[in-house]
Structures are given as structure tokens and as C-alpha cells.
Amino acid sequence: MIGLTRTDRLIARQVLGATLLALAIFIGIDALSAFIREIDEIGDGKYTLMMAVTYIAYTIPRRIYELFPMAAAIGAAMGLGGLAPTSELTALRAAGWSKLRLCVGALMPLLVASVLVFAIGETLGPWGERAAQGVAIGAKSQDLVTTNSSGIWARDGEDLLNAKRGALIEGDVELIDARLFRFDDSGRLLSITRGEKARHEPGGWRFTTVRQFRFEPDAVATESLPEWRWEVALDPALIAMSVVRPRYQALTELREHIGYLERNRLDAQQFRSAFWARVFYPLGILATALLAMPFAFSALRSGGFGKRLFVGLVISIAFYYLQSAFVNMVELADGPLPIGYLTPPLLALVGAWLWLRRSF
């Protein structure tokens, strides 16, 4: 196992500092662009400027997760390349440090950072996205709010709908573990209708595998039904807005959705793709970072900040499109999705390693 030397710490500070700087810039630009779009929504219902700021703040963890791979590639190129103008790379090479060994020192902080960002994407990212949707939709529409602990809530008159989670399946909104609470004008609970799922159809929602409880003055009547229809004009687009998209969901949520869809013989391809994208997320970060590092020893020695930034951007964008192309080809061939997500980072790692290995 390679020990952590003073040189490793020097390289780690350079690479990590450049990565964090790039990440902060990207998040700032992305959040500002999103905030400008939200300004147009201010005044819609009870949506205020402070709510727009809160909405953007809740989405920061998700933005960190999405933008970190690009920041890591740029940080790798800028961090190592930043040592070239001061001849520190030349001195280290003269002291017997191979290019591969220097790159390993640069990869160590990125590996640690990748684990932390992956944890953010599994915890704070999905939570923040649900909270952001709750703030925005709850203010813009008095009929719908979302919460992290109790799922999706919708109201129509005296009826109150709750669902554990929702999904967009084949273009339609489907609620899982749905409950409809019906009240009278005085606020007394009249009935609870619970369905394994509820799917929108013209003019209402159809509950399936239903158990209904009606609260009478002196008893509770229970009835089981194969299906039950809720006649309501509730706009499904509002609920669709509250559904967290697959690529923003945690691995546990994606597994639940995949299992549910497969049990019901529905298309789970979108959720499977998001699942494997998350599984191979750290590997993709290391692959793009390592692919950018060889440029610190060649063309970047005579270049400045702009060239290193350009190289990092080109590599990260090219890798993204390469992986998307592989995944699309695998999906078209009905092949295993892990191959589509694993092949590009492996090719990048092998290519960078072969290039650097010549320096042993």
C-alpha cells in the first residue's frame, strides 16, 4: 500500500483545492440560472422571493452530486498542471517520481471526495429535492404539498389524498400505497379508502386492491374491493411535478420502484438505468479525472488556466456523451445495463494507465 508522503499531501491540496473551486463556480452558475427561472414564478399563488431562495437552497446537494464529476476532471487537470509552471513537476520527476505515481497521489483525495459526494447523493440529494418540490408546489397550489416523511398529499374539497410515493409510468401518474381521507363539512372523518395503487385516468383516479373503512355513528364498516374510482378533477400534472425523477432518487428508492414495476409487469427500464448510473458513479469520476491528468505532463506545461480548464471540460463532456452512447446501444440491443455504464470508465482507465505506464 502506498504511504502518504509530503509530496502526496502537496498534490492532494492542489487537486482538491482546484476541484472545490471548480465545483463552487459550477454550482454558483447553475443555481443562479435556476434562480432566474424561478423569479418568473414569483407571485404564482403564495410563491414569494424567499420561497424561491429556499427552493434553490434545497437543491444544492443534488447539484453537488451532478456537477462533481466535471469539477473532478477540471480539478485533476488544473491541480497537477498548476505545478508545472513552478517547475515542481520537473523536480519531482527528477527525484524519481513516475507520472503514474504522481497521478495516484492526485487520485487519493478525489477518491475520498467521491465517496462523500456519493453519500450526499444518497441522502441529502433526494431529501432536498423532495423538500424543494414541497416548497414550490405547496406555495403555488393550495391543493398539493409534499413532505419527506409522509409522501405526497393532495386535497380536493373535503377529500384528502396521501400516497407513500408516486411514479411516472408510461406517461401516466401512478401513486403507490394511496389513501383517501373523506371528511364532511364540519371536519368529521367519514371514510378512509386505501389502495395498493391509484392511477389517473380521464375524470378521476382508479384505486386497485382496495380496502375501505366507513365511520358510522356506532360502528366502523369495512369493505374489500378489487377496484374503486375516485371521481375528481384534481390535475395529475401537479402530482407529476411532486414526483422525484429517477435520476434524483437514492439506490434504495430505485430498488423499490424496480421491484414494484417488475412485479406488475411494467417497464422499469428508466429506473434500472438510473440505478446502475448511481452504482458506477464513483468509477466514472475517477476515470475522467485520470484521463485528464496526462495533459499536465505534456501540452499543459506551456499553457495556463484557460487551457487546463478547457481540457477538463472537453474530457468530462466527451466522457458523458460516450457513456450515453454506450448505454443507448445496450438498451437498443436489450443487453445488460451494467455493461453500458462499466465499459466507458474501464476504457478510460486502461487508456490513461497505458499512457502513464510508459514513464515507469
Side-chain angles (χ1 to χ4, degrees), residues 236-251:
L238 292 175
I239 295 182
M241 290 172 61
S242 71
V243 175
V244 178
R245 286 177 282 182
R247 65 192 183 102
Y248 298 156
Q249 295 179 11
L251 285 173

Side-chain angles (χ1 to χ4, degrees), residues 10 15 22 27 38 68 70 134 144 195 224 227 246-247 285 295 350:
L10 169 66
V15 171
I27 291 174
E38 288 301 311
F68 184 77
M70 185 180 295
L144 184 68
S224 297
E227 62 179 36
R247 65 192 183 102
I285 293 173
F295 293 92
V350 171

Side-chain angles (χ1 to χ4, degrees), residues 21 70 80 132 176 198 233 263 272 301 325 330 354:
L21 176 62
M70 185 180 295
L80 274 181
I176 301 167
R263 286 194 302 272
R272 280 195 292 265
R301 286 180 296 186
V330 169
L354 290 175

Side-chain angles (χ1 to χ4, degrees), residues 23-303:
L23 181 62
I25 293 173
F26 286 146
I27 291 174
I29 294 173
D30 192 42
L32 180 61
S33 300
F35 179 70
I36 292 173
R37 291 194 298 270
E38 288 301 311
I39 289 177
D40 294 335
E41 304 293 326
I42 293 175
D44 187 0
K46 296 182 179 180
Y47 197 56
T48 64
L49 177 63
M50 185 54 63
M51 287 181 175
V53 172
T54 303
Y55 171 85
I56 297 299
Y58 275 131
T59 64
I60 294 299
R62 185 257 296 173
R63 298 179 196 279
I64 292 174
Y65 181 86
E66 288 184 326
L67 296 171
F68 184 77
M70 185 180 295
I74 292 173
M78 291 176 59
L80 274 181
L83 296 173
T86 57
S87 300
E88 289 172 289
L89 276 184
T90 303
L92 290 171
R93 296 283 289 121
W97 283 64
S98 69
K99 295 177 181 179
L100 183 59
R101 177 63 182 86
L102 290 169
C103 289
V104 170
L107 281 177
M108 286 191 290
L110 291 179
L111 177 60
V112 174
S114 298
V115 173
L116 293 176
V117 172
F118 182 82
I120 289 174
E122 287 295 298
T123 54
L124 293 177
W127 170 83
E129 196 65 22
R130 285 191 292 268
Q133 296 292 352
V135 169
I137 302 173
K140 295 174 185 178
S141 172
Q142 297 303 305
D143 294 330
L144 184 68
V145 296
T146 58
T147 63
N148 185 33
S149 59
S150 54
I152 300 171
W153 289 88
R155 188 183 71 223
D156 182 79
E158 304 303 327
D159 292 343
L160 191 63
L161 176 68
N162 170 242
K164 182 179 179 181
R165 61 182 183 272
L168 295 175
I169 301 174
E170 299 175 355
D172 295 325
V173 179
E174 186 165 285
L175 302 177
I176 301 167
D177 193 8
R179 299 174 179 85
L180 179 67
F181 302 88
R182 178 157 286 176
F183 299 86
D184 61 16
D185 294 338
S186 62
R188 185 173 69 87
L189 182 62
L190 298 177
S191 66
I192 299 176
T193 302
R194 179 175 181 176
E196 182 180 298
K197 61 181 179 180
R199 192 158 190 167
H200 180 262
E201 57 184 33
W205 294 76
R206 185 171 299 280
F207 288 64
T208 56
T209 315
V210 177
R211 192 166 177 80
Q212 194 171 66
F213 304 90
R214 293 189 302 275
F215 299 93
E216 301 174 354
D218 55 353
V220 178
T222 305
E223 185 178 8
S224 297
L225 302 168
E227 62 179 36
W228 179 80
R229 182 176 166 83
W230 180 34
E231 302 285 348
V232 67
L234 179 66
D235 187 0
L238 292 175
I239 295 182
M241 290 172 61
S242 71
V243 175
V244 178
R245 286 177 282 182
R247 65 192 183 102
Y248 298 156
Q249 295 179 11
L251 285 173
T252 53
E253 296 172 321
L254 290 170
R255 277 198 299 264
E256 289 179 3
H257 275 108
I258 292 170
Y260 168 78
L261 293 172
E262 289 179 342
R263 286 194 302 272
N264 289 273
R265 298 180 181 180
L266 298 171
D267 183 17
Q269 188 76 350
Q270 185 181 13
F271 292 90
R272 280 195 292 265
S273 182
F275 177 86
W276 289 112
R278 281 189 170 266
V279 169
F280 292 111
Y281 174 83
L283 185 60
I285 293 173
L286 297 181
T288 52
L290 186 60
L291 202 59
M293 288 179 189
F295 293 92
F297 302 99
S298 54
L300 291 181
R301 286 180 296 186
S302 60

Side-chain angles (χ1 to χ4, degrees), residues 309-347:
L309 178 62
F310 175 76
V311 167
L313 282 171
V314 168
I315 288 175
S316 56
I317 292 172
F319 178 83
Y320 170 80
Y321 282 108
L322 177 64
Q323 189 171 62
S324 297
F326 266 86
V327 171
N328 289 336
M329 286 189 294
V330 169
E331 288 180 339
L332 287 174
D334 200 22
L337 279 173
I339 298 298
Y341 282 104
L342 182 60
T343 302
L346 284 183
L347 291 176

